[in-house]
């Protein structure tokens, strides 16, 4: 049996992104958005059917975020969104963005990282008044949609027969119009008269939902909501059983985390309660080893379980030995988090004996949802063929799943061609002379302790920097990027296609930089930026200029909502052939007397937001990137740039999920940052930026970065994230984000003053900066200009107010 935990939602050419943004701009109707979303879902299901997947996920698609979808399904809508007369869809987007097409602006739900991925989820809020009321409309309608697609596929693929077919546990399942008695193995191998394709709803598990939520208000205990939320899950399972759904995948990714006894108890209790509610449940764990949670998983009162056999490979033999053989064991054998081809012969070898013992009760799947990888490698017609042969995107990973399943059920000879091609690709990568660079390896080995230290401590650097930069109290700045307008994107496309000469493109970009500089001077910002008009993405832009990186044309991955990123692929040793940003930054600085920040992406983010080679330690790759950035930082300083920002928004998300694994990661992460930044003089001010993370547990490591200024996202948390900096007595300067750039709302001056006063109650005012919480590339100028004007006015009021207090 093959199944898939989830498929990319955005469409193979980002159809969903463009539809959402058209709807938000009022260019298409709600009905048209629904039609386009349905087309993406149908295409996803068809792709999985063509790959020979037996159980097709339904409910993995989302218009914005699957956790938000679960909140809506549970009727869990915070009171500030519940009282208006907006349509259900507009209320959904108000929760996500703080605004819809109708209604006044309101604070959106907090957003944070989804485990250690680059995906963001919207955090549910649990208040003492929180109640739940099931709304299964979305999921039930999509089940009907999927069954119609399956019916159409089976009718066109070959003759089928309605009836009752053998279930995975030897019993029978209820028939539906969508079922057929044949499966066509599109990924290779013989046509197998076996089980028919069917839908498998996918929902976030009740315990993970509560764990990932935020308790709002004093005395709110998240586990006190377990009984009422389980009542709604029971109702949902009963409804799914009425729809003749045999299996429901219930994701419990928190089982890869350090859980206390009370949460492990909640997991066990939850599945005792759900076991007789209706359809069979398949709790799915992924993203890491289970460790002390493994006993709980092995004893769950469920009909089966899914195990991540890639990141949890070391536990697989114990699972084989101890998990009851009368239950379904789903093995996540294909890596759903990276883009390298799997070693299909090795995977098959590891599973063959267990398949002989379990037969059809051993299911094959990716390790996790394929949400985290690009859609289809076949779209990459411009990618170097040698490198492309080493890769597998979502569609290709489905073929890998099918190949392994056919090898197990029909024997390796049935897929001999596929296995041979896979071996050739792996050998090609292993022996390629494009992977290693001896000079880069030698430079990493030569890193010395002196390369990790600034000349003087921050307390001395601060005085020198203040004298040179001549900044006021509460200095204002932005995080780096300004709106990427239609004109900028069109010029970039024209330049890439050869329709605009390099000279004309350079002239165009200089005009954009001059416009951004002028706007910032007009608004009154103290430290300004060049706006990054030349950059397509904060990682891809640099990677395109570094050796060891490869790039795709269509390798988009969802970050949140309509925001997609196109991660580069680190396939070999990394080095910088020539300066990357000096020309643009020095041009910007020539236009103004105000200090212009150099803008770079830090080594951990350059690695974390890429698909990283798996043939050497990540720490080695991080140091290679750090040395390349060190060269750039020193070149910027030599060119007269007095402030340089090295962004590390991914530092926190790169943490291993288990606290016991943190120390080695934080050691090489801080070392890499300091390698990149410590080569400058004391007068040069080093900034860094971090977003969407809790900092309490890594505050010491943030201090070890020794950045002169750190800017962080705090607007959606009402400055609560600053508590970590108080308890630790963080010694350097901090810029807490005063407004949420992911919402189109223009912040009020009074709100930003209030937030900064909250910050000043935690951090000495003389060490505070005033800035947005992230870059502005996704916003429009119509939103950015009034927002920044209000921010500058807020800073002026703060200076005046604190000056009066000082005089008093």
């Amino acid at each position: 049996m093959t199944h898939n935990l989830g498929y990319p939602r955005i469409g193979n050419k980002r159809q969903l992104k463009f539809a959402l943004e058209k709807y938000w701009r009022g260019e298409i109707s709600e009905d048209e958005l629904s039609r386009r979303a349905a087309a993406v879902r149908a295409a996803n299901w068809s792709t999985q059917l063509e790959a020979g997947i037996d159980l097709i996920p339904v409910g993995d698609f989302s218009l914005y975020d699957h956790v938000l979808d679960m909140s809506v399904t549970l009727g869990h809508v915070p009171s500030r969104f519940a009282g208006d007369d907006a349509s259900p869809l507009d209320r959904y987007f108000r929760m996500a963005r703080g605004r819809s097409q109708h209604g006044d602006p309101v604070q959106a739900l907090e957003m944070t990282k989804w485990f250690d991925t680059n995906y963001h989820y919207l955090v549910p809020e649990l208040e003492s008044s929180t109640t739940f009321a099931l709304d299964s409309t979305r999921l039930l309608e999509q089940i009907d949609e999927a069954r119609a697609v399956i019916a159409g596929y089976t009718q066109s693929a070959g003759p089928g027969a309605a009836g009752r077919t053998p279930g995975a546990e030897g019993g029978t399942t209820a028939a539906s119009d969508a079922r057929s008695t044949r499966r066509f193995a599109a990924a290779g191998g013989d046509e197998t008269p076996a089980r028919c394709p069917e839908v498998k709803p996918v929902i976030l598990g009740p315990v993970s939902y509560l764990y990932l939520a935020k308790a709002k208000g004093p005395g709110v205990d998240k586990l006190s909501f377990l009984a009422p939320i389980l009542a709604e899950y029971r109702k949902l399972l009963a409804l799914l059983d009425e729809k003749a759904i045999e299996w429901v995948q219930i994701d419990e990714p928190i089982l890869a985390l350090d859980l206390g006894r009370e949460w492990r108890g909640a997991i066990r209790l939850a599945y005792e309660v759900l076991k007789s509610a209706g359809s069979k449940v398949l709790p799915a764990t992924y993203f890491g080893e289970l460790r002390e949670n493994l006993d709980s998983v092995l004893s769950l009162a469920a009909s089966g379980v899914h195990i991540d056999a890639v990141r949890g490979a070391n536990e697989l033999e114990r699972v084989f030995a101890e998990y009851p053989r009368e239950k379904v064991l789903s093995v996540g054998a294909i890596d759903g988090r990276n883009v390298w081809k799997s070693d299909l012969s090795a995977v098959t070898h590891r599973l063959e004996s267990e398949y002989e013992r379990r037969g059809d009760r051993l299911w094959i799947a990716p390790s996790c949802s394929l949400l985290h990888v690009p859609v289809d490698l076949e779209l990459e017609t411009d990618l170097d063929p040698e490198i492309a042969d080493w890769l597998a995107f979502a569609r290709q990973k489905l073929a890998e799943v099918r190949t392994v399943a056919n090898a197990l059920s029909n024997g390796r000879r049935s897929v001999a061609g596929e296995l041979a091609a896979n071996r050739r690709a792996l050998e090609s990568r292993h022996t390629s002379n494009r992977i290693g660079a001896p000079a880069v390896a030698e430079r990493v080995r030569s890193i010395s302790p002196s390369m990790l230290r600034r000349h003087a401590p921050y307390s001395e650097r601060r005085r020198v920097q203040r004298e040179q930069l001549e900044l006021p109290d509460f200095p204002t700045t932005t995080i780096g990027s300004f709106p990427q307008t239609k004109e900028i994107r069109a010029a970039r496309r024209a330049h890439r296609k050869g329709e605009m000469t390099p000279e004309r493109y350079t002239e165009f970009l200089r005009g954009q930089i001059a416009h951004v500089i002028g706007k910032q001077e007009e608004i009154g910002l103290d430290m300004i930026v060049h706006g990054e008009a030349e950059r397509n993405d904060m990682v891809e832009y640099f990677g395109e200029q570094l050796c060891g990186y490869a790039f795709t044309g269509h390798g988009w991955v969802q970050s949140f909502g309509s925001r997609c990123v196109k991660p580069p692929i680190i396939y070999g040793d990394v080095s910088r052939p020539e300066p990357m940003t000096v020309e643009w930054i020095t041009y910007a600085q020539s236009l103004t007397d105000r200090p212009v920040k150099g803008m770079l992406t830090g080594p951990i983010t350059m690695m974390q937001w890429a698909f990283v080679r798996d043939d050497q330690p990540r720490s080695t790759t991080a140091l290679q990137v750090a040395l390349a950035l060190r060269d750039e930082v020193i070149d910027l300083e030599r060119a007269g740039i007095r402030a340089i920002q090295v962004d590390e928004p991914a530092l926190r998300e790169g943490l291993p999920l288990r606290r016991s694994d943190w120390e080695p990661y934080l050691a090489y992460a801080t070392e890499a940052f300091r390698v990149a930044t410590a080569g400058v003089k004391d007068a040069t001010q080093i900034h860094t930026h971090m977003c969407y993370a809790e900092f309490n547990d890594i505050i010491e490591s943030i201090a070890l970065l020794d950045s002169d200024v750190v800017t962080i996202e705090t607007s959606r948390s009402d400055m609560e994230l600053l508590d970590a900096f108080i308890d630790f007595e963080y010694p350097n300067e901090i810029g807490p984000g005063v407004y949420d750039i992911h919402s189109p709302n223009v912040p009020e001056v009074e709100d930003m003053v209030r937030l900064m006063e909250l910050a000043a109650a935690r951090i000495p005012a003389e060490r505070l900066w005033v800035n947005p919480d992230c870059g502005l590339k996704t916003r429009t100028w119509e939103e950015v200009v009034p927002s920044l004007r209000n921010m500058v006015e807020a800073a002026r009021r703060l200076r005046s107010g604190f000056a009066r207090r000082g005089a008093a």
Side-chain angles (χ1 to χ4, degrees), residues 10-14 18 373-383 393 540 551-557 564-567:
I10 58 176
N12 62 351
K13 295 185 179 178
R14 294 182 292 163
F18 300 126
V373 295
V375 179
D376 188 0
L377 185 63
E378 289 188 8
L379 298 173
E380 304 302 331
T381 55
D382 294 330
L383 185 61
F393 292 176
E540 184 176 14
F551 299 88
T552 64
H554 302 277
W556 297 98
V557 177
C564 301
V565 295
K566 188 152 56 70

Side-chain angles (χ1 to χ4, degrees), residues 516-537:
V516 169
I517 295 292
K519 279 292 183 185
Q520 291 174 92
E521 289 188 319
E522 175 192 330
I523 290 167
L525 290 165
D526 300 304
M527 180 174 284
I528 61 181
V529 298
H530 79 296
E532 304 181 10
E534 80 284 6
R535 303 183 188 184
N536 46 5
D537 175 82

Side-chain angles (χ1 to χ4, degrees), residues 683-732:
T684 300
Q685 191 172 70
I686 294 294
H687 291 234
T688 191
H689 172 66
M690 300 178 185
C691 57
Y692 300 112
E694 300 286 344
F695 301 109
N696 303 57
D697 41 16
I698 63 166
I699 187 65
E700 293 183 21
S701 296
I702 294 175
L704 287 174
L705 299 178
D706 200 24
S707 173
D708 297 303
V709 183
V710 57
T711 54
I712 59 173
E713 181 277 326
T714 54
S715 61
R716 288 198 184 191
S717 72
D718 216 31
M719 294 292 165
E720 291 176 3
L721 291 178
L722 284 181
D723 291 344
F725 293 82
I726 307 172
D727 298 338
F728 179 71
E729 297 184 1
Y730 184 77
N732 299 12

Side-chain angles (χ1 to χ4, degrees), residues 119-150:
Y119 179 78
H120 305 69
Y121 76 95
L122 290 159
V123 182
E125 297 175 358
L126 295 172
E127 304 172 287
S128 58
S129 59
T130 293
T131 58
F132 304 100
L134 181 67
D135 180 358
S136 59
T137 305
R138 174 190 62 89
L139 185 59
L140 298 183
E141 288 178 350
Q142 290 184 19
I143 288 171
D144 291 339
E145 285 181 38
R147 281 180 163 164
V149 171
I150 291 173

Side-chain angles (χ1 to χ4, degrees), residues 569-591:
I569 299 164
I570 304 177
Y571 68 86
D573 288 344
V574 178
S575 61
R576 185 198 74 148
E578 59 187 12
M580 301 179 286
T581 66
V582 174
E583 175 186 356
W584 302 115
I585 305 299
T586 53
Y587 173 71
Q589 185 64 78
S590 74
L591 300 175

Side-chain angles (χ1 to χ4, degrees), residues 326-348:
E326 68 274 12
K327 295 186 176 186
V328 163
L329 175 60
S330 168
V331 178
I334 303 301
D335 191 352
R337 290 284 300 273
N338 215 329
V339 294
W340 306 107
K341 282 183 175 175
S342 300
D343 186 338
L344 300 184
S345 296
V347 171
T348 301

